[in-house]
Amino acid sequence: MAAFNTNYKDSGLFGVYALAMPDCLGDLACLVMLELTKLCSKRSVISEDELVRARNKVKATLLLDMDKTSCVAEDIGRQILAHGRRITYAELFASIDAVDVEKIKKVASLFINDKDIAIVAAGCLQGLPDYNWLRRRT
């Protein structure tokens, strides 16, 4: 399971990519929805250690991706689309470090809590809950 986020100047896409055996689809769907909605909860407990680890992982991933010229070109294009210019690593890392638990809860509530969702699935899907089941869990 992995989360992804694509930003543009005036829109974006956030989601979760996950794989499961057909007999585990219901459990997977329940787990994904539970974890997403926990981010919105006032009772949500995101520890400082988890937040530091997440920040460091994002920074490391950004730096490791710059090893390939195709990734560098994609990064430049994405930044031009989103910001109209190339962002320095210092600016980018300062933005990442500025994320705190309250900002996470605020953004999660804005985009997850009681919002319509989109789902794409392929393969043997008999165990996958229907859209209304998933939507009720936001």
Side-chain angles (χ1 to χ4, degrees):
M1 187 167 11
F4 61 88
N5 188 39
T6 304
N7 297 312
Y8 300 102
K9 193 171 196 164
D10 58 354
S11 66
L13 178 66
F14 165 77
V16 176
Y17 172 82
L19 297 170
M21 298 299 293
D23 59 334
C24 299
L25 288 175
D27 292 340
L28 175 65
C30 187
L31 177 65
V32 168
M33 297 309 294
L34 176 67
E35 291 302 317
L36 286 174
T37 55
K38 273 177 32 179
L39 292 172
C40 307
S41 170
K42 289 185 172 104
R43 296 181 313 272
S44 173
V45 179
I46 300 171
S47 73
E48 189 61 31
D49 287 343
E50 288 175 310
L51 193 52
V52 168
R53 187 174 66 240
R55 287 182 192 132
N56 289 339
K57 183 176 180 181
V58 169
K59 292 178 200 176
T61 300
L62 289 168
L63 290 174
L64 290 171
D65 281 349
M66 296 302 109
D67 195 21
K68 301 173 223 114
T69 55
S70 61
C71 290
V72 172
E74 183 181 331
D75 183 59
I76 292 169
R78 185 176 25 253
Q79 288 184 22
I80 297 294
L81 285 172
H83 306 287
R85 66 184 178 88
R86 184 126 193 239
I87 305 298
T88 67
Y89 285 112
E91 287 177 278
L92 191 55
F93 288 3
S95 295
I96 292 166
D97 289 335
V99 173
D100 62 19
V101 173
E102 288 310 311
K103 285 181 184 175
I104 292 170
K105 287 181 184 181
K106 182 179 177 182
V107 170
S109 292
L110 183 65
F111 292 104
I112 297 170
N113 189 37
D114 196 25
K115 300 295 181 192
D116 289 331
I117 61 170
I119 182 169
V120 176
C124 181
L125 305 175
Q126 286 91 359
L128 184 67
D130 70 8
Y131 177 83
N132 292 322
W133 185 93
L134 294 165
R135 174 61 175 88
R136 282 193 305 272
R137 278 144 184 86
T138 64

